[in-house]
């Protein structure tokens, strides 16, 4: 019958549990920081998209109004009530 030796470190299981718990806390903190960065980046993207929509809308409306005022050939774009494009 072979001899079985006890492990030299009797506290291995206790230390392993502490190590796993510490690692879990560390991973949780890293995940929380990463999620915060993702949220900040998403907020920046939303703000940039809102600015782009506003600038695009304002410039399109402004350009159309300028064309209506300055170009007599653009007058056909203005329809009175009851008028159609004739399509």
């Amino acid at each position: 019958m072979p001899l079985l030796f006890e492990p030299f470190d009797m506290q291995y299981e206790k230390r392993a549990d502490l190590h796993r718990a510490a690692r879990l806390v560390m991973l949780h903190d890293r995940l929380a920081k990463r999620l915060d960065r993702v949220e900040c980046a998403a907020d920046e993207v939303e703000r940039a998209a809102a600015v782009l929509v506003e600038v695009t809308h304002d410039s399109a409306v402004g350009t159309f109004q300028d064309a209506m005022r300055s170009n007599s050939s653009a007058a056909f774009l203005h329809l009175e009530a009851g008028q159609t494009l004739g399509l």
Side-chain angles (χ1 to χ4, degrees), residues 2-10:
L3 292 173
L4 299 177
F5 294 100
E6 289 187 28
F8 293 118
D9 186 3
M10 303 300 279

Side-chain angles (χ1 to χ4, degrees), residues 52-64:
L52 178 63
V53 166
E54 182 179 336
V55 167
T56 303
H57 181 264
D58 289 345
S59 66
V61 169
T63 302
F64 179 75

Side-chain angles (χ1 to χ4, degrees), residues 42-75:
D43 290 342
E44 288 180 24
V45 168
E46 287 177 359
R47 283 192 299 273
V51 167
L52 178 63
V53 166
E54 182 179 336
V55 167
T56 303
H57 181 264
D58 289 345
S59 66
V61 169
T63 302
F64 179 75
Q65 289 172 345
D66 290 343
M68 290 294 293
R69 276 185 245 125
S70 66
N71 190 355
S72 62
S73 65

